[in-house]
Amino acid sequence: MKSARSSTARASKLLTLIVFVGITVLLTWEYRVTRAAQQGMAGRIAHQNEETADMIIKAITRDMRGAQSRILANRDWDAPSPVGSALDMTEPVATTFARYPYPESFFTWQGGNHSMVFFNRATRLPPWMAPPNPVLNSPTALAIDPSIADEVRRRLSPAISAQLRYAVFDMDFAGVPYQVIARITYADPLREHLESVSGFTVNLDWVRHRYFADILSEVKPSASGGLTQDVALFDEHDRTVVGSNSKGPPIAERTFPLLFMDSSDSESDLPPDMEQAQWKLRVSASRDPILLSATRRADTTLVATGLAVILCGLSLMLAHRAVLSSVELAEMRSRFVSSVTHELKTPLANIRALAGTLVRESQVSAEPYKAYPHLLIQEANDLGRLVDNLLAYARITDVTETYSFEAMAAAELVDEALKSFQPRLLEGAISIQVETCQELPFVRADQRAMVLALRNLIDNAIRHVRNNGHIHISTSRADSTVFIRVRDDGSGISAAKLAAVRESIASRSFSPTDGGGLGLAIVSKIVADHGGTLTVDSELGVGTRCTIGFRAC
């Protein structure tokens, strides 16, 4: 039986392990597929972010270089008109202002003591220029040698002395930061004689607050490709210029110099100590609905799969326990049948023998015949006890059955249990000593159940003592606990077998080989239902002691 149970348990464990491995493989595969799909979506969006960033940077840098590469480098600015005919430049300057919003002023200068002429936007006059009086009906406002001119000449001098073709510098005037881009032309190939200087100024405050916001609003819709993207611009100090500082992935970043000219083909003609502030463009698609939906679906799938795996694992554990319980139940039933069969054979055989003798009554002397009825009564009592055990076992395993508790004396329970054992005690020459104290407090017990429990303990003691053996039954009290002890000087139980008996008591199990396992299981259950304790102590060759403890009423 143990081998069959062990084989079934191993098969159940193996099946559970195989299923768990399969579930783990499936979960790993699904996790990888889900994450791969999510990463694929994120990769496509990240690629779109990179393209958007490239397109926006290309549009910004192209526009920032336009005024220098298309206007300032034009030959029309090489030979500026005299001051008297400067009004002839109004139309090309106005056209330039309309095309490129960031130049605040254009200026020309022939060097030396010649005047520096500034062409300013009439709709956005520089902070250093007073409104003209009278107001001219023109897109440009002319200023000759304004207050800014001396500072511009001073900052141009090092580049002219170094014979450079371009001068680029930042300056503050009237509390406003400016960037000045100037082209220097010379009258001779050796650049020894200055011919003219032409350039423009950029109001960096206006650029920060207006220019980049306008150009991004124009470029972003066509560059985003239908994605929901957060586009932000940051200055050299990582302060936000335009947009929000979104750092959610995927992110594309680009840096570019805050320089309103094309330095790629004129790097050798620029001041060597020119410092360029590096600004940063950041494109993020963390709020894109497609990406958010893919992430939510992936997370939902993984959570649902994880819950399914957990439920499946719990189901497997419960199924495994159910299989083990079924095996244990089958084993318990087998042991029950073996135990009951073993217990019933002896009294039935005795009754059969006595009955056969009675049939042959004429051949039996009168004196032995008188003892046969007592023997039949004894065997009938044994059978009755076994039947009571079977009924009790059926009753105590039915959780719907209840006890009828009442206050009783421990001595009364002992006396009632001893009534049916008098013939056996006399026949086997077994002496029994009963020490009960009438002054003990009552205990709360079901009389029928407790008498059955005590009968099982006394019967086990009688069966284990030899002729002329001794059984001692006593009642006592310790604090609020009342004890009933049944002790014999029989063969006792070995340590290994005693451990098995205690295990049987703890599990309410029984075995036909332990000499009363069914009875001990019934006693253990009855005592536990009464809120008491049962202890079994034994020593091989010395005897056994069983103690029942009750709470006093």
Side-chain angles (χ1 to χ4, degrees), residues 102-183:
Y102 53 86
E104 186 178 76
S105 305
F106 279 93
F107 64 88
T108 61
W109 178 47
Q110 290 181 332
N113 295 324
H114 292 280
S115 299
M116 183 173 285
V117 181
F118 280 78
F119 300 88
N120 307 300
R121 292 179 184 270
T123 56
R124 197 175 80 222
L125 291 176
W128 46 263
M129 180 177 177
N133 189 18
V135 177
L136 299 177
N137 186 19
S138 172
T140 61
L142 187 66
I144 301 174
D145 282 336
S147 56
I148 195 176
D150 291 338
E151 180 65 18
V152 173
R153 290 191 189 96
R154 186 182 69 81
R155 298 295 298 273
L156 286 172
S157 295
I160 296 173
S161 300
Q163 298 178 336
L164 300 176
R165 291 180 58 240
Y166 282 95
V168 181
F169 53 88
D170 292 339
M171 58 176 287
D172 287 343
F173 194 80
V176 178
Y178 281 93
Q179 185 175 106
V180 179
I181 311 294
R183 181 190 177 193

Side-chain angles (χ1 to χ4, degrees), residues 252-310:
E253 290 188 350
R254 299 290 186 274
T255 57
F256 65 96
L258 187 65
L259 181 64
F260 289 87
M261 68 170 296
D262 186 3
S263 61
S264 58
D265 60 347
S266 56
E267 185 174 358
S268 60
D269 292 318
L270 291 174
D273 58 347
M274 183 181 67
E275 296 182 358
Q276 301 179 14
Q278 297 294 321
W279 284 26
K280 184 189 302 181
L281 176 74
R282 180 179 296 159
V283 180
S284 171
S286 59
R287 296 189 303 109
D288 184 72
I290 299 177
L291 179 61
L292 294 177
S293 177
T295 303
R296 283 196 298 268
R297 286 199 301 269
D299 293 342
T300 301
T301 301
L302 292 177
V303 170
T305 304
L307 291 177
V309 169
I310 293 174

Side-chain angles (χ1 to χ4, degrees), residues 7 13 31 69 126 197 216 223 330 354 430 443 477 511 522:
S7 299
K13 289 181 180 179
Y31 176 82
S69 60
V197 178
L216 285 178
L354 292 172
I430 299 173
V443 295
R477 174 184 181 182
S511 171
I522 293 174

